[in-house]
Amino acid sequence: MFRNEFLQIVWEKGRVDVPELARLLNTTEDLIEAEADVCAAHGWIRMLDSLIMATPLTHTGR
């Protein structure tokens, strides 16, 4: 469920920074970064420092 919400927000926004996503999901930045690492490994998102960006696979990762 968390991953679905995570990817949905990234897909809708196109790009979002870690602190904002943590606030939107009511969780810690550490948890967001850990989830982002997993999703990036699958190609569902890209990370650049604290910026999370959607990829064409973001929508299919859910």
Side-chain angles (χ1 to χ4, degrees):
M1 179 81 139
F2 178 79
R3 182 167 295 153
N4 290 339
E5 292 175 40
F6 175 96
L7 291 172
Q8 180 65 36
I9 291 171
V10 173
W11 179 253
E12 288 172 359
K13 290 190 167 280
R15 64 182 143 205
V16 62
D17 64 357
V18 170
E20 180 183 0
L21 191 53
R23 184 181 52 78
L24 291 170
L25 290 172
N26 195 33
T27 190
T28 65
E29 291 181 24
D30 289 339
L31 185 59
I32 294 297
E33 289 174 354
E35 185 64 23
D37 288 341
V38 171
C39 291
H42 287 286
W44 298 331
I45 63 164
R46 289 191 61 212
M47 280 210 52
L48 179 62
D49 296 323
S50 68
L51 185 64
I52 299 170
M53 296 169 283
T55 70
L57 296 176
T58 302
H59 192 63
T60 60
R62 303 184 290 116

